């Protein structure tokens, strides 16, 4: 992956499925960007696994406090893309 490529919703969905599976097929395909991870059925352990996958795949380090504030897929996408933008600068 190039340093300039953004982290997309499809990237996040793929890694969510990889890290924790999906309770109901298609659950992540709807309008879920503003639904909390807990309401989507992802507990804190699943989110931590997701963060680890993102960090390894993208070659970035996400601050614990920043990640803990990202309670929805949209918020996490924003955090990852902000950190990636800072790393590329």
């Amino acid at each position: 992956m190039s340093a300039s490529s953004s982290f997309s919703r499809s990237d996040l969905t793929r890694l969510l499925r990889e890290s924790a599976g999906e309770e109901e097929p298609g659950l992540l395909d709807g309008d879920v960007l503003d639904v909390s991870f807990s309401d989507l059925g992802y507990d804190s352990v699943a989110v931590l696994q997701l963060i680890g996958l993102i960090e390894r795949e993208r070659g970035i380090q996400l601050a614990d406090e920043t990640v803990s504030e990202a309670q929805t897929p949209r918020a996490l996408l924003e955090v990852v893309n902000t950190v990636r933008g800072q790393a590329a600068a």
Side-chain angles (χ1 to χ4, degrees):
M1 304 251 157
S2 80
S4 63
S5 66
S6 67
F7 187 67
S8 69
R9 177 185 174 155
S10 62
D11 295 324
L12 178 60
T13 300
R14 175 180 51 82
L15 291 177
L16 272 167
R17 288 179 173 141
E18 187 176 319
S19 67
E22 185 174 12
E23 295 287 321
E24 300 173 35
L27 179 67
L28 297 172
D29 296 332
D31 187 17
V32 297
L33 286 177
D34 295 312
V35 178
S36 72
F37 286 112
S38 62
D39 286 345
L40 290 170
Y42 293 92
D43 63 14
S44 59
V45 173
V47 174
L48 286 174
Q49 290 174 329
L50 170 65
I51 298 305
L53 284 172
I54 292 169
E55 290 176 332
R56 283 189 297 280
E57 183 176 282
R58 296 296 168 144
I60 60 174
Q61 182 67 39
L62 300 172
D64 292 340
E65 61 276 0
T66 304
V67 170
S68 67
E69 293 172 8
Q71 298 294 313
T72 65
R74 182 184 311 277
L76 185 57
L77 284 170
E78 290 172 1
V79 166
V80 171
N81 284 315
T82 298
V83 170
R84 287 185 50 72
Q86 292 169 350

